[in-house]
Amino acid sequence: MAGKVFFSVSMSLDGYVAPEPVPVEDLFVPGKQDDPGVQRWMAQWMELQQWVFPLRFFRENLKLGEGGEEGRDNDIARETFERTGASVMGKRMFEGGALAWPEEAPFHTPVFVVTHEKRDPWERPGGTTFHFVNDGIETALDQARVAAGDRDVRIAGGGATILEYVNAGLVDEFSIALSPVLFGSGVRLFEGVDASRVALEPVRAEPTPRVTHLTYAVRER
Amino acid sequence: MAGKVFFSVSMSLDGYVAPEPVPVEDLFVPGKQDDPGVQRWMAQWMELQQWVFPLRFFRENLKLGEGGEEGRDNDIARETFERTGASVMGKRMFEGGALAWPEEAPFHTPVFVVTHEKRDPWERPGGTTFHFVNDGIETALDQARVAAGDRDVRIAGGGATILEYVNAGLVDEFSIALSPVLFGSGVRLFEGVDASRVALEPVRAEPTPRVTHLTYAVRER
């Protein structure tokens, strides 16, 4: 049986999944961290994702050391990881991640990067292999489905890539960790959504002290 | 003891509290209902508020007849009404409502309308009296606080008026009924929010089958 196609993101209450973009290199290259724009980006990102950082699963997976919190947030983060047999991501997310992830990248599965760059697969220790797909989102998804087998395919991000898949009718389900924060500006998840085509069906809603976990199935209108 | 200042709205998952505006008269004046823009407005509004219409409390309060659903959605709608000792609203909401509400307007308390129009108080059967305040949002709120006594003041709407109060630091708490719908365009609740000033603290989150009820306290950063 084929798996589902889903995405799972943290979103501010006003609908943002990332701060106003700054050059990817500025976020991770030493010497740029004092820039006020970079500091604002980092502060907003930390606030959006604040429910994730203390989790035992996150700390393990990012090689940040022992310990960390257990509980429902941790279970949900782990379940999201375990259901995922392959991921798809956009070029910008890959480029930022390549600078930020540890050598043992946190996917431990095949990852398909939608990009114009022609490049051989890039194998990382720990089971993550990045494949570079040059002929569009549908091909990337087809390859990810095959790689995932009966597990699910996660559209990992960023926001624009997720929305392309939603508007193409290719997403079955999604989860949002709604964070108690307002951004006022940044990258809106649903900016440009084809609302005449996409209907939502609530699947699950579960609040924890830090965040509200919401899951919806996507239906065609 | 003074009450709280709060608002309570239905919001789409992409952050809208109303469809793209159409002229207020077009929504309620016979003969305009066939206009495609008006039909789209109505369809989106109905979808956003779909959790409200079946409720027993809503049907009673709008004089739509006996019956209707009980349960948590109904309790929450009734609690929101019962805590409210006075309301504040913007001119556009008043003008639309004046065409839409029954003669026995659904507030049953004093309502303070922020407007440039000079007008004597307008008393309706059933306890609603509209007062027209010409010198700004703070004066309107001061008058509403006095009228509410130890009950709470509700900033009723619309979205722009709510945001003025939020940005002025005058809102203590708010509730959002997050509806499983995407608008893609319309009136965004938090468009223009002063994110550098407003911090949120989660108070309560309660999903029902139709909607997710979220309550936050507003804190200054």
Side-chain angles (χ1 to χ4, degrees), chain A residues 11 13-14 47 174 176 178 180-184 188 190-191 193 195 198 200 202 205-207 209 212 214 216 221, chain B residues 11 13-14 47 174 176 178 180-184 188 190-191 193 195 198 200 202 205-207 209 212 214 216 221:
Chain A
M11 186 173 91
L13 185 61
D14 53 349
E47 209 171 16
F174 63 88
I176 289 175
L178 195 67
V181 55
L182 297 172
F183 269 23
R188 282 193 170 107
F190 292 112
E191 184 78 59
V193 69
V198 178
L200 304 180
E206 183 178 350
T212 307
L214 303 167
Y216 299 90
R221 278 182 187 275
Chain B
M11 186 173 91
L13 185 60
D14 53 347
E47 208 170 19
F174 64 87
I176 288 177
L178 195 67
V181 56
L182 297 171
F183 269 23
R188 282 192 170 107
F190 292 113
E191 184 78 59
V193 69
V198 179
L200 304 181
E206 184 178 350
T212 306
L214 303 166
Y216 299 90
R221 281 184 184 273

Side-chain angles (χ1 to χ4, degrees), chain B residues 41-89:
Chain B
W41 196 101
M42 275 293 177
Q44 286 194 316
W45 181 255
M46 297 294 280
E47 208 170 19
L48 183 68
Q49 304 285 350
Q50 52 81 30
W51 70 281
V52 170
F53 301 122
L55 302 181
R56 183 182 182 92
F57 169 75
F58 176 81
R59 296 184 52 79
E60 275 172 23
N61 200 31
L62 270 294
K63 308 280 162 199
L64 298 176
E66 296 295 307
E69 292 180 13
E70 310 209 10
R72 279 306 290 153
D73 285 334
N74 192 59
D75 293 347
I76 287 168
R78 191 182 298 277
E79 284 158 18
T80 302
F81 174 79
E82 286 174 353
R83 69 187 283 196
T84 303
S87 292
V88 175
M89 70 180 59

Side-chain angles (χ1 to χ4, degrees), chain A residues 150-192:
Chain A
D150 52 11
R151 283 196 290 165
D152 296 335
V153 173
R154 179 177 183 173
I155 311 298
T161 301
I162 288 172
L163 196 68
E164 279 188 73
Y165 280 99
V166 170
N167 280 344
L170 294 170
V171 171
D172 300 313
E173 190 181 286
F174 63 88
S175 293
I176 289 175
L178 195 67
S179 283
V181 55
L182 297 172
F183 269 23
S185 67
V187 179
R188 282 193 170 107
L189 177 57
F190 292 112
E191 184 78 59

